[in-house]
Each structure stands twice: as structure tokens, then as C-alpha cells.
Amino acid sequence: MPVLITLILCSYPIVVHLSIQFGHAVWAVYFLAFLFALPLPYYLIKMRRSKWFIGVSVLYSILILWFARDQAENLLFAQPVIINFLIFLIFISTLFGKDTVPLIGRITRLIKSDVADEVMDYCRWVTWAWTCFFLFIAIVSWLLSAYASIEDWSLFTNFVRSEEHTSELQSH
């Protein structure tokens, strides 16, 4: 079951893009609500999650469906901004404080427990780079949602654009 759930989760960008291309953004929002409800039967059977997790998932699915009626595009626009901003917050929260270890340093220590100070300095710079990257992507996603066409927004937020694909789009 977890493999099936993972495959369905990975299909989300494709569903969003196709929904937009066919002019029915609300389909993507319905699919998003489905994604939040999908693991519930599995967790109810296995009881691996607490009751609050199940309740929050159900509530979030209901809220998504409620807002889907009038705010489908806004809900889609908010997802990449929120996700990238939350990841930015995770990275930046590990960079400040007296004895904090940067996130990349923590991952490095999980792989190899004995890490040289020079490597940890490098990990701090890499963590800064990822922090800036996720903030940049959140800002670009927000700007595209405000000023670009929904198709261009979808291409940016749902797919990685190669040079060939970018030149193809510019020639049309």
C-alpha cells in the first residue's frame, strides 16, 4: 500500500498541469483532497498514527473541498509558495543559535558520525545555499502566480524545464 500511495503522490504535478491545460483547475484541487484522504484507511487499519493526525487529515481534506468551489486556482497557487517557504524555514532555523548544527551537517553526521570541522563549515555554506534557493523558488512561484499565465506558472511549479523545452516554448 505505501508504494501505491507514493506513486499516486508523485502523479500530483501531472494532474495539476493537465487540469490547467484542460481548463479545469478544480480537478487538481479535488485530487489534492483525495491525496490527503488516501492514507486514512491504511493508517486506520495499521493504527500507526495518532487520532489527531487522522482528524487533521480529514479536516484538511474537507477544507480543501470547501475552498475548491470558489478558490481552486488560488489554492493551487498557494501550494508551491507554502511548501517552499516551509522548507526555507526548516533550513534557516538550523543556521542560527549558539550550538545549532546546520541541516546539511546533520544529514552528514547521520551518514558519517566523525565529521571534520572543515566539512561542517562547508555544510553550513551548503545549508545557506539551499536556504536561499527555497526562498527564491517561493518568491518566484508567488510572482508567477500573480503576474504570469496559469500555464507558465504550472510549467515552472510542476516541471523542471530543460533548455530544449524552454527554447521550444519561446519559438511558438
Side-chain angles (χ1 to χ4, degrees):
M1 184 73 152
V3 174
L4 177 62
I5 291 172
T6 302
L7 290 173
I8 293 172
L9 287 172
C10 290
S11 69
Y12 178 71
I14 296 166
V15 171
V16 170
H17 189 69
L18 290 175
S19 298
I20 289 167
Q21 291 299 316
F22 288 108
H24 300 287
V26 74
W27 293 352
V29 175
Y30 292 150
F31 189 72
L32 182 63
F34 167 74
L35 289 178
F36 278 99
L38 183 65
L40 293 178
Y42 176 75
Y43 288 124
L44 285 172
I45 292 168
K46 297 289 184 172
M47 297 305 281
R48 291 188 176 179
R49 297 284 182 203
S50 64
K51 292 177 184 172
W52 73 267
F53 172 81
I54 295 168
V56 167
S57 295
V58 169
L59 181 62
Y60 196 68
S61 293
I62 291 169
L63 286 173
I64 287 171
L65 291 173
W66 176 264
F67 286 112
R69 297 178 308 153
D70 302 323
Q71 301 293 323
E73 287 183 10
N74 290 336
L75 193 57
L76 290 178
F77 288 150
Q79 294 292 327
V81 176
I82 291 169
I83 290 169
N84 284 299
F85 189 73
L86 288 175
I87 296 171
F88 158 78
L89 290 176
I90 291 168
F91 272 88
I92 201 162
S93 70
T94 66
L95 289 169
F96 297 104
K98 189 173 181 170
D99 293 323
T100 59
V101 177
L103 185 58
I104 301 299
R106 293 176 189 187
I107 295 169
T108 304
R109 283 189 177 161
L110 287 173
I111 295 168
K112 183 179 178 187
S113 59
D114 185 29
V115 180
D117 288 340
E118 300 85 31
V119 173
M120 289 307 289
D121 288 340
Y122 176 76
C123 290
R124 179 167 295 281
W125 284 108
V126 173
T127 302
W128 268 111
W130 279 107
T131 301
C132 294
F133 171 78
F134 283 112
L135 180 61
F136 174 76
I137 295 299
I139 291 169
V140 170
S141 296
W142 175 72
L143 288 172
L144 285 173
S145 70
Y147 300 109
S149 71
I150 193 168
E151 292 82 7
D152 289 341
W153 169 87
S154 179
L155 281 172
F156 179 79
T157 58
N158 294 308
F159 301 102
V160 177
R161 293 168 65 170
S162 68
E163 289 299 319
E164 296 167 9
H165 186 66
T166 304
S167 63
E168 255 179 50
L169 288 174
Q170 291 172 348
S171 67
H172 286 96

